[in-house]
Short mmCIF file of all heavy atoms in Angstrom, two decimals:
data_model
loop_
_atom_site.label_atom_id
_atom_site.label_comp_id
_atom_site.label_asym_id
_atom_site.label_seq_id
_atom_site.Cartn_x
_atom_site.Cartn_y
_atom_site.Cartn_z
N MET A 8 -36.97 63.12 -59.21
CA MET A 8 -38.04 62.16 -59.38
C MET A 8 -39.11 62.71 -60.27
O MET A 8 -39.70 63.74 -60.02
CB MET A 8 -38.65 61.77 -57.99
CG MET A 8 -39.77 60.85 -58.05
SD MET A 8 -40.13 60.50 -56.35
CE MET A 8 -41.58 59.61 -56.50
N PRO A 9 -39.46 62.03 -61.44
CA PRO A 9 -40.49 62.59 -62.30
C PRO A 9 -41.86 62.44 -61.81
O PRO A 9 -42.16 61.55 -60.96
CB PRO A 9 -40.29 61.69 -63.61
CG PRO A 9 -39.68 60.45 -63.13
CD PRO A 9 -38.85 60.80 -61.86
N HIS A 10 -42.73 63.32 -62.16
CA HIS A 10 -44.10 63.29 -61.71
C HIS A 10 -44.99 63.11 -62.95
O HIS A 10 -44.92 63.87 -63.90
CB HIS A 10 -44.53 64.57 -61.00
CG HIS A 10 -43.73 64.73 -59.75
ND1 HIS A 10 -44.07 64.10 -58.61
CD2 HIS A 10 -42.63 65.43 -59.44
CE1 HIS A 10 -43.17 64.40 -57.61
NE2 HIS A 10 -42.31 65.23 -58.17
N CYS A 11 -45.86 62.09 -62.94
CA CYS A 11 -46.71 61.78 -64.10
C CYS A 11 -48.14 62.16 -63.73
O CYS A 11 -48.62 61.76 -62.66
CB CYS A 11 -46.57 60.37 -64.46
SG CYS A 11 -47.63 59.83 -65.81
N LEU A 12 -48.87 62.86 -64.63
CA LEU A 12 -50.24 63.21 -64.40
C LEU A 12 -51.22 62.27 -65.11
O LEU A 12 -52.43 62.55 -65.09
CB LEU A 12 -50.48 64.66 -64.73
CG LEU A 12 -49.65 65.69 -63.93
CD1 LEU A 12 -49.85 67.12 -64.46
CD2 LEU A 12 -49.97 65.58 -62.47
N TYR A 13 -50.74 61.27 -65.78
CA TYR A 13 -51.64 60.31 -66.45
C TYR A 13 -52.29 59.46 -65.39
O TYR A 13 -51.74 59.21 -64.32
CB TYR A 13 -50.82 59.39 -67.35
CG TYR A 13 -50.58 59.96 -68.80
CD1 TYR A 13 -49.67 60.98 -68.97
CD2 TYR A 13 -51.30 59.45 -69.84
CE1 TYR A 13 -49.45 61.41 -70.25
CE2 TYR A 13 -51.08 59.98 -71.10
CZ TYR A 13 -50.16 60.92 -71.31
OH TYR A 13 -49.92 61.41 -72.60
N LEU A 14 -53.48 58.93 -65.73
CA LEU A 14 -54.22 58.02 -64.87
C LEU A 14 -54.56 56.80 -65.71
O LEU A 14 -54.44 56.77 -66.90
CB LEU A 14 -55.57 58.64 -64.40
CG LEU A 14 -55.47 59.97 -63.66
CD1 LEU A 14 -56.89 60.53 -63.41
CD2 LEU A 14 -54.79 59.77 -62.33
N LYS A 15 -55.03 55.78 -65.03
CA LYS A 15 -55.53 54.57 -65.66
C LYS A 15 -57.00 54.52 -65.53
O LYS A 15 -57.54 54.76 -64.44
CB LYS A 15 -54.84 53.30 -65.11
CG LYS A 15 -55.08 52.11 -65.95
CD LYS A 15 -54.19 50.99 -65.48
CE LYS A 15 -54.30 49.80 -66.43
NZ LYS A 15 -53.44 48.69 -65.95
N HIS A 16 -57.76 54.31 -66.60
CA HIS A 16 -59.26 54.30 -66.59
C HIS A 16 -59.74 53.01 -65.88
O HIS A 16 -59.91 52.00 -66.53
CB HIS A 16 -59.77 54.41 -68.01
CG HIS A 16 -61.24 54.71 -68.14
ND1 HIS A 16 -61.90 54.71 -69.30
CD2 HIS A 16 -62.14 55.00 -67.17
CE1 HIS A 16 -63.13 55.02 -69.09
NE2 HIS A 16 -63.31 55.23 -67.79
N LEU A 17 -59.96 53.13 -64.64
CA LEU A 17 -60.31 51.98 -63.82
C LEU A 17 -61.77 51.96 -63.31
O LEU A 17 -62.36 50.88 -63.14
CB LEU A 17 -59.38 51.84 -62.61
CG LEU A 17 -57.87 51.67 -62.84
CD1 LEU A 17 -57.12 51.72 -61.56
CD2 LEU A 17 -57.63 50.35 -63.59
N ASP A 18 -62.32 53.10 -63.05
CA ASP A 18 -63.59 53.17 -62.34
C ASP A 18 -64.78 53.48 -63.23
O ASP A 18 -64.68 54.22 -64.17
CB ASP A 18 -63.57 54.25 -61.26
CG ASP A 18 -62.57 54.01 -60.19
OD1 ASP A 18 -62.08 52.83 -60.04
OD2 ASP A 18 -62.21 54.93 -59.44
N ILE A 19 -65.97 52.86 -62.91
CA ILE A 19 -67.23 53.22 -63.51
C ILE A 19 -67.83 54.21 -62.52
O ILE A 19 -68.25 55.31 -62.86
CB ILE A 19 -68.12 52.03 -63.72
CG1 ILE A 19 -67.49 51.12 -64.83
CG2 ILE A 19 -69.52 52.49 -64.18
CD1 ILE A 19 -68.17 49.82 -65.01
N VAL A 20 -67.91 53.80 -61.25
CA VAL A 20 -68.27 54.63 -60.09
C VAL A 20 -67.06 54.86 -59.31
O VAL A 20 -66.24 53.87 -59.09
CB VAL A 20 -69.36 53.95 -59.28
CG1 VAL A 20 -69.72 54.75 -58.00
CG2 VAL A 20 -70.65 53.68 -60.11
N PRO A 21 -66.72 56.06 -58.84
CA PRO A 21 -65.49 56.33 -58.18
C PRO A 21 -65.14 55.25 -57.10
O PRO A 21 -65.95 55.04 -56.21
CB PRO A 21 -65.62 57.69 -57.56
CG PRO A 21 -66.52 58.38 -58.52
CD PRO A 21 -67.48 57.30 -58.95
N GLY A 22 -63.97 54.61 -57.26
CA GLY A 22 -63.53 53.61 -56.28
C GLY A 22 -63.87 52.16 -56.57
O GLY A 22 -63.40 51.31 -55.86
N ASP A 23 -64.75 51.92 -57.56
CA ASP A 23 -65.18 50.50 -57.77
C ASP A 23 -64.21 49.66 -58.56
O ASP A 23 -64.23 48.46 -58.50
CB ASP A 23 -66.58 50.48 -58.38
CG ASP A 23 -66.57 50.93 -59.85
OD1 ASP A 23 -65.52 51.27 -60.41
OD2 ASP A 23 -67.67 50.98 -60.46
N ARG A 24 -63.30 50.25 -59.32
CA ARG A 24 -62.29 49.50 -60.13
C ARG A 24 -62.91 48.51 -61.04
O ARG A 24 -62.32 47.48 -61.36
CB ARG A 24 -61.22 48.88 -59.24
CG ARG A 24 -60.52 49.81 -58.33
CD ARG A 24 -59.73 50.81 -59.11
NE ARG A 24 -58.78 51.59 -58.31
CZ ARG A 24 -58.87 52.85 -58.10
NH1 ARG A 24 -59.86 53.55 -58.58
NH2 ARG A 24 -57.94 53.53 -57.40
N ALA A 25 -64.12 48.79 -61.53
CA ALA A 25 -64.93 47.78 -62.36
C ALA A 25 -64.90 48.06 -63.85
O ALA A 25 -65.52 47.33 -64.62
CB ALA A 25 -66.38 47.76 -61.87
N ASN A 26 -64.14 49.11 -64.32
CA ASN A 26 -64.20 49.44 -65.71
C ASN A 26 -63.30 48.53 -66.53
O ASN A 26 -62.09 48.41 -66.20
CB ASN A 26 -63.77 50.88 -65.96
CG ASN A 26 -64.18 51.38 -67.31
OD1 ASN A 26 -63.97 50.76 -68.27
ND2 ASN A 26 -64.86 52.54 -67.36
N PRO A 27 -63.81 47.87 -67.58
CA PRO A 27 -62.98 46.93 -68.28
C PRO A 27 -62.00 47.64 -69.29
O PRO A 27 -61.10 47.01 -69.83
CB PRO A 27 -63.98 46.12 -69.09
CG PRO A 27 -65.17 47.02 -69.24
CD PRO A 27 -65.20 47.84 -67.98
N CYS A 28 -62.15 48.96 -69.46
CA CYS A 28 -61.39 49.71 -70.51
C CYS A 28 -59.91 49.64 -70.18
O CYS A 28 -59.07 49.30 -70.97
CB CYS A 28 -61.85 51.16 -70.54
SG CYS A 28 -60.85 52.18 -71.65
N LYS A 29 -59.52 50.06 -68.99
CA LYS A 29 -58.09 50.13 -68.50
C LYS A 29 -57.18 50.96 -69.37
O LYS A 29 -55.96 50.82 -69.34
CB LYS A 29 -57.52 48.69 -68.31
CG LYS A 29 -58.36 47.73 -67.55
CD LYS A 29 -58.48 48.10 -66.09
CE LYS A 29 -59.10 47.00 -65.30
NZ LYS A 29 -60.48 47.22 -64.98
N GLY A 30 -57.72 51.92 -70.16
CA GLY A 30 -56.93 52.78 -71.01
C GLY A 30 -56.26 53.89 -70.19
O GLY A 30 -56.53 54.11 -69.04
N LEU A 31 -55.31 54.56 -70.85
CA LEU A 31 -54.64 55.66 -70.19
C LEU A 31 -55.47 56.93 -70.30
O LEU A 31 -56.09 57.21 -71.29
CB LEU A 31 -53.26 55.92 -70.82
CG LEU A 31 -52.15 54.92 -70.52
CD1 LEU A 31 -50.91 55.26 -71.28
CD2 LEU A 31 -51.92 54.86 -69.04
N MET A 32 -55.49 57.67 -69.21
CA MET A 32 -56.23 58.98 -69.11
C MET A 32 -55.15 60.07 -69.23
O MET A 32 -54.37 60.23 -68.28
CB MET A 32 -56.99 59.07 -67.83
CG MET A 32 -58.00 57.95 -67.58
SD MET A 32 -59.46 57.98 -68.56
CE MET A 32 -60.35 59.30 -67.76
N LYS A 33 -55.19 60.80 -70.36
CA LYS A 33 -54.17 61.82 -70.59
C LYS A 33 -54.61 63.16 -70.09
O LYS A 33 -55.69 63.64 -70.38
CB LYS A 33 -53.94 61.94 -72.10
CG LYS A 33 -52.96 62.94 -72.53
CD LYS A 33 -52.82 63.04 -74.03
CE LYS A 33 -51.81 64.11 -74.46
NZ LYS A 33 -51.69 64.14 -75.89
N PRO A 34 -53.78 63.81 -69.23
CA PRO A 34 -54.15 65.16 -68.76
C PRO A 34 -54.10 66.18 -69.87
O PRO A 34 -53.12 66.22 -70.59
CB PRO A 34 -53.10 65.47 -67.71
CG PRO A 34 -51.95 64.64 -68.10
CD PRO A 34 -52.48 63.41 -68.77
N ILE A 35 -55.17 66.93 -70.09
CA ILE A 35 -55.17 67.87 -71.22
C ILE A 35 -55.32 69.33 -70.79
O ILE A 35 -54.87 70.27 -71.44
CB ILE A 35 -56.26 67.60 -72.23
CG1 ILE A 35 -57.66 67.60 -71.63
CG2 ILE A 35 -55.99 66.28 -73.00
CD1 ILE A 35 -58.77 67.57 -72.65
N THR A 36 -55.91 69.56 -69.64
CA THR A 36 -56.08 70.94 -69.16
C THR A 36 -56.44 70.94 -67.64
O THR A 36 -56.71 69.90 -67.05
CB THR A 36 -57.20 71.67 -69.95
OG1 THR A 36 -57.09 73.10 -69.63
CG2 THR A 36 -58.58 71.21 -69.70
N ILE A 37 -56.39 72.10 -67.08
CA ILE A 37 -56.81 72.26 -65.66
C ILE A 37 -57.90 73.35 -65.67
O ILE A 37 -57.82 74.29 -66.47
CB ILE A 37 -55.63 72.61 -64.79
CG1 ILE A 37 -56.03 72.51 -63.32
CG2 ILE A 37 -55.02 73.94 -65.17
CD1 ILE A 37 -54.78 72.51 -62.42
N VAL A 38 -58.93 73.15 -64.85
CA VAL A 38 -60.01 74.11 -64.80
C VAL A 38 -60.28 74.55 -63.37
O VAL A 38 -59.84 73.88 -62.50
CB VAL A 38 -61.38 73.52 -65.38
CG1 VAL A 38 -61.22 73.24 -66.83
CG2 VAL A 38 -61.73 72.28 -64.69
N TYR A 39 -60.94 75.69 -63.18
CA TYR A 39 -61.26 76.11 -61.85
C TYR A 39 -62.65 75.79 -61.50
O TYR A 39 -63.61 76.00 -62.26
CB TYR A 39 -61.03 77.66 -61.73
CG TYR A 39 -61.45 78.12 -60.33
CD1 TYR A 39 -60.68 77.86 -59.21
CD2 TYR A 39 -62.64 78.84 -60.17
CE1 TYR A 39 -61.04 78.22 -57.99
CE2 TYR A 39 -63.03 79.25 -58.90
CZ TYR A 39 -62.27 78.97 -57.83
OH TYR A 39 -62.64 79.35 -56.59
N SER A 40 -62.85 75.24 -60.30
CA SER A 40 -64.20 74.98 -59.76
C SER A 40 -64.24 75.55 -58.36
O SER A 40 -63.36 75.24 -57.53
CB SER A 40 -64.42 73.44 -59.71
OG SER A 40 -65.60 73.18 -58.91
N SER A 41 -65.20 76.38 -58.05
CA SER A 41 -65.27 77.02 -56.72
C SER A 41 -65.48 76.02 -55.65
O SER A 41 -65.10 76.25 -54.45
CB SER A 41 -66.37 78.01 -56.69
OG SER A 41 -67.68 77.39 -56.92
N LYS A 42 -66.03 74.81 -55.93
CA LYS A 42 -66.18 73.77 -54.91
C LYS A 42 -65.00 72.82 -54.79
O LYS A 42 -64.73 72.22 -53.75
CB LYS A 42 -67.50 72.98 -55.16
CG LYS A 42 -68.72 73.83 -55.03
CD LYS A 42 -69.95 73.01 -55.28
CE LYS A 42 -71.16 73.89 -55.20
NZ LYS A 42 -72.40 73.13 -55.47
N LYS A 43 -64.32 72.55 -55.93
CA LYS A 43 -63.31 71.54 -55.96
C LYS A 43 -61.87 72.07 -56.24
O LYS A 43 -60.97 71.26 -56.39
CB LYS A 43 -63.64 70.47 -56.98
CG LYS A 43 -64.93 69.69 -56.66
CD LYS A 43 -65.16 68.56 -57.59
CE LYS A 43 -66.45 67.84 -57.19
NZ LYS A 43 -66.68 66.70 -58.11
N GLY A 44 -61.74 73.32 -56.34
CA GLY A 44 -60.38 73.83 -56.56
C GLY A 44 -60.02 73.79 -58.09
O GLY A 44 -60.75 74.31 -58.87
N TYR A 45 -58.91 73.13 -58.38
CA TYR A 45 -58.44 73.06 -59.74
C TYR A 45 -58.30 71.61 -60.19
O TYR A 45 -57.22 71.03 -60.19
CB TYR A 45 -57.03 73.71 -59.83
CG TYR A 45 -57.11 75.21 -59.62
CD1 TYR A 45 -56.93 75.74 -58.37
CD2 TYR A 45 -57.33 76.04 -60.72
CE1 TYR A 45 -57.03 77.11 -58.15
CE2 TYR A 45 -57.40 77.40 -60.54
CZ TYR A 45 -57.22 77.95 -59.28
OH TYR A 45 -57.28 79.30 -59.07
N PRO A 46 -59.40 70.99 -60.65
CA PRO A 46 -59.30 69.62 -61.13
C PRO A 46 -58.65 69.53 -62.50
O PRO A 46 -58.80 70.46 -63.28
CB PRO A 46 -60.78 69.15 -61.15
CG PRO A 46 -61.55 70.42 -61.31
CD PRO A 46 -60.73 71.48 -60.61
N LEU A 47 -57.99 68.43 -62.77
CA LEU A 47 -57.40 68.18 -64.09
C LEU A 47 -58.45 67.50 -64.94
O LEU A 47 -59.24 66.65 -64.44
CB LEU A 47 -56.16 67.23 -64.01
CG LEU A 47 -54.95 67.84 -63.37
CD1 LEU A 47 -53.89 66.75 -63.13
CD2 LEU A 47 -54.33 68.89 -64.27
N VAL A 48 -58.44 67.82 -66.21
CA VAL A 48 -59.37 67.14 -67.16
C VAL A 48 -58.61 66.06 -67.96
O VAL A 48 -57.53 66.36 -68.48
CB VAL A 48 -59.99 68.17 -68.15
CG1 VAL A 48 -60.89 67.50 -69.12
CG2 VAL A 48 -60.73 69.25 -67.40
N HIS A 49 -59.17 64.80 -67.88
CA HIS A 49 -58.50 63.71 -68.48
C HIS A 49 -59.46 63.01 -69.48
O HIS A 49 -60.44 62.46 -68.99
CB HIS A 49 -58.12 62.64 -67.44
CG HIS A 49 -57.02 63.02 -66.49
ND1 HIS A 49 -57.27 63.73 -65.35
CD2 HIS A 49 -55.69 62.81 -66.56
CE1 HIS A 49 -56.13 63.93 -64.71
NE2 HIS A 49 -55.14 63.37 -65.42
N PRO A 50 -59.21 62.93 -70.74
CA PRO A 50 -59.91 62.05 -71.62
C PRO A 50 -59.21 60.66 -71.70
O PRO A 50 -57.96 60.65 -71.64
CB PRO A 50 -59.89 62.74 -72.99
CG PRO A 50 -58.62 63.52 -72.96
CD PRO A 50 -58.38 63.91 -71.50
N CYS A 51 -59.96 59.58 -71.86
CA CYS A 51 -59.37 58.31 -71.99
C CYS A 51 -58.81 58.17 -73.42
O CYS A 51 -59.53 58.42 -74.34
CB CYS A 51 -60.37 57.22 -71.64
SG CYS A 51 -59.65 55.53 -71.82
N THR A 52 -57.57 57.73 -73.57
CA THR A 52 -56.98 57.59 -74.89
C THR A 52 -57.53 56.32 -75.62
O THR A 52 -57.34 56.23 -76.84
CB THR A 52 -55.46 57.42 -74.82
OG1 THR A 52 -55.10 56.37 -74.02
CG2 THR A 52 -54.87 58.74 -74.24
N LYS A 53 -58.20 55.45 -74.88
CA LYS A 53 -58.74 54.23 -75.53
C LYS A 53 -60.29 54.35 -75.90
O LYS A 53 -60.62 54.07 -77.02
CB LYS A 53 -58.54 53.09 -74.52
CG LYS A 53 -58.90 51.74 -75.08
CD LYS A 53 -58.52 50.58 -74.11
CE LYS A 53 -58.88 49.26 -74.65
NZ LYS A 53 -58.59 48.22 -73.64
N CYS A 54 -61.07 54.84 -74.92
CA CYS A 54 -62.54 54.90 -75.19
C CYS A 54 -63.07 56.31 -75.30
O CYS A 54 -64.28 56.48 -75.64
CB CYS A 54 -63.29 54.15 -74.11
SG CYS A 54 -63.38 54.97 -72.50
N GLY A 55 -62.25 57.33 -74.90
CA GLY A 55 -62.72 58.71 -75.07
C GLY A 55 -63.48 59.29 -73.90
O GLY A 55 -63.82 60.47 -73.91
N HIS A 56 -63.74 58.49 -72.83
CA HIS A 56 -64.44 58.95 -71.64
C HIS A 56 -63.67 60.18 -71.09
O HIS A 56 -62.49 60.18 -70.99
CB HIS A 56 -64.55 57.86 -70.59
CG HIS A 56 -65.15 58.33 -69.28
ND1 HIS A 56 -66.52 58.54 -69.14
CD2 HIS A 56 -64.58 58.68 -68.13
CE1 HIS A 56 -66.70 58.95 -67.92
NE2 HIS A 56 -65.59 59.07 -67.25
N LEU A 57 -64.40 61.22 -70.69
CA LEU A 57 -63.82 62.45 -70.16
C LEU A 57 -64.18 62.57 -68.70
O LEU A 57 -65.26 62.37 -68.23
CB LEU A 57 -64.44 63.68 -70.87
CG LEU A 57 -63.73 65.00 -70.64
CD1 LEU A 57 -62.34 64.96 -71.22
CD2 LEU A 57 -64.56 66.14 -71.32
N SER A 58 -63.15 62.78 -67.87
CA SER A 58 -63.37 62.99 -66.43
C SER A 58 -62.53 64.09 -65.90
O SER A 58 -61.55 64.57 -66.45
CB SER A 58 -63.04 61.68 -65.67
OG SER A 58 -61.65 61.42 -65.71
N ARG A 59 -62.97 64.63 -64.72
CA ARG A 59 -62.29 65.67 -63.96
C ARG A 59 -61.82 65.05 -62.70
O ARG A 59 -62.58 64.37 -62.03
CB ARG A 59 -63.17 66.89 -63.65
CG ARG A 59 -63.55 67.61 -64.93
CD ARG A 59 -64.42 68.80 -64.51
NE ARG A 59 -64.81 69.52 -65.74
CZ ARG A 59 -65.25 70.73 -65.76
NH1 ARG A 59 -65.42 71.40 -64.62
NH2 ARG A 59 -65.58 71.31 -66.91
N ASN A 60 -60.56 65.27 -62.36
CA ASN A 60 -59.96 64.66 -61.16
C ASN A 60 -59.25 65.69 -60.32
O ASN A 60 -58.39 66.44 -60.81
CB ASN A 60 -59.00 63.53 -61.57
CG ASN A 60 -59.69 62.52 -62.43
OD1 ASN A 60 -60.44 61.69 -61.87
ND2 ASN A 60 -59.54 62.56 -63.74
N LYS A 61 -59.55 65.69 -58.98
CA LYS A 61 -58.97 66.61 -58.07
C LYS A 61 -57.47 66.32 -57.99
O LYS A 61 -57.01 65.20 -58.08
CB LYS A 61 -59.50 66.43 -56.65
CG LYS A 61 -60.96 66.95 -56.53
CD LYS A 61 -61.43 67.03 -55.11
CE LYS A 61 -61.21 65.78 -54.28
NZ LYS A 61 -61.74 65.88 -52.90
N VAL A 62 -56.68 67.36 -57.76
CA VAL A 62 -55.26 67.27 -57.55
C VAL A 62 -54.95 67.13 -56.14
O VAL A 62 -55.43 67.90 -55.27
CB VAL A 62 -54.55 68.54 -58.10
CG1 VAL A 62 -53.06 68.47 -57.93
CG2 VAL A 62 -54.90 68.71 -59.64
N ALA A 63 -54.18 66.09 -55.75
CA ALA A 63 -53.76 65.92 -54.41
C ALA A 63 -52.52 66.73 -54.11
O ALA A 63 -51.57 66.68 -54.86
CB ALA A 63 -53.47 64.41 -54.10
N MET A 64 -52.57 67.57 -53.11
CA MET A 64 -51.44 68.44 -52.79
C MET A 64 -50.53 67.80 -51.80
O MET A 64 -50.94 67.05 -50.98
CB MET A 64 -51.99 69.76 -52.18
CG MET A 64 -53.01 70.52 -53.07
SD MET A 64 -52.37 70.91 -54.67
CE MET A 64 -51.46 72.35 -54.33
N ASP A 65 -49.24 68.06 -51.96
CA ASP A 65 -48.19 67.51 -51.06
C ASP A 65 -48.30 66.03 -50.89
O ASP A 65 -48.36 65.50 -49.74
CB ASP A 65 -48.26 68.24 -49.68
CG ASP A 65 -48.01 69.74 -49.85
OD1 ASP A 65 -47.17 70.10 -50.63
OD2 ASP A 65 -48.67 70.48 -49.09
N CYS A 66 -48.47 65.29 -51.99
CA CYS A 66 -48.64 63.85 -51.91
C CYS A 66 -47.59 63.17 -52.86
O CYS A 66 -47.39 63.55 -53.97
CB CYS A 66 -50.04 63.53 -52.41
SG CYS A 66 -50.40 61.79 -52.40
N THR A 67 -46.95 62.14 -52.29
CA THR A 67 -45.98 61.35 -53.10
C THR A 67 -46.53 59.91 -53.18
O THR A 67 -46.83 59.35 -52.10
CB THR A 67 -44.60 61.35 -52.40
OG1 THR A 67 -44.14 62.70 -52.31
CG2 THR A 67 -43.62 60.56 -53.28
N GLN A 68 -46.70 59.43 -54.37
CA GLN A 68 -47.21 58.13 -54.56
C GLN A 68 -46.16 57.26 -55.31
O GLN A 68 -45.42 57.78 -56.11
CB GLN A 68 -48.51 58.08 -55.40
CG GLN A 68 -49.62 58.79 -54.69
CD GLN A 68 -50.92 58.73 -55.53
OE1 GLN A 68 -50.83 58.42 -56.71
NE2 GLN A 68 -52.01 59.10 -54.98
N GLU A 69 -46.07 55.97 -54.95
CA GLU A 69 -45.16 55.11 -55.67
C GLU A 69 -45.75 54.75 -57.02
O GLU A 69 -46.95 54.77 -57.21
CB GLU A 69 -44.93 53.83 -54.87
CG GLU A 69 -44.23 54.15 -53.56
CD GLU A 69 -43.84 52.86 -52.84
OE1 GLU A 69 -43.65 51.85 -53.47
OE2 GLU A 69 -43.77 52.89 -51.56
N ASP A 70 -44.87 54.46 -57.98
CA ASP A 70 -45.29 54.07 -59.29
C ASP A 70 -45.96 52.66 -59.27
O ASP A 70 -45.74 51.85 -58.53
CB ASP A 70 -44.11 54.03 -60.27
CG ASP A 70 -43.62 55.44 -60.54
OD1 ASP A 70 -44.40 56.33 -60.40
OD2 ASP A 70 -42.46 55.53 -60.96
#
């Protein structure tokens, strides 16, 4: 089963799903944060917004 690290640019505030962009967020690197572990850095391929997103461990999600 393939694993994809791309996201869809949905939120303005985490969880609100109010962003009209809806572009793909491409994973470009992983960084270390003493508080959040190893978040992935994703820039939006449509609008350029940059975000850091925590990695869920031992998690399987449907496409």
Side-chain angles (χ1 to χ4, degrees):
M8 176 175 172
H10 296 280
C11 180
L12 298 175
Y13 274 75
L14 302 174
K15 193 168 186 181
H16 193 186
L17 299 174
D18 298 343
I19 294 173
V20 176
D23 69 2
R24 303 297 192 247
N26 197 310
C28 176
K29 309 294 189 261
L31 287 177
M32 305 285 285
K33 179 181 179 179
I35 59 168
T36 192
I37 191 166
V38 294
Y39 175 73
S40 167
S41 62
K42 294 181 182 179
K43 296 185 179 182
Y45 292 90
L47 290 170
V48 177
H49 291 86
C51 180
T52 59
K53 188 174 178 183
C54 73
H56 174 78
L57 191 65
S58 67
R59 292 181 181 198
N60 300 285
K61 290 192 307 184
V62 177
M64 303 304 278
D65 300 322
C66 178
T67 301
Q68 295 182 347
E69 294 187 28
D70 290 339

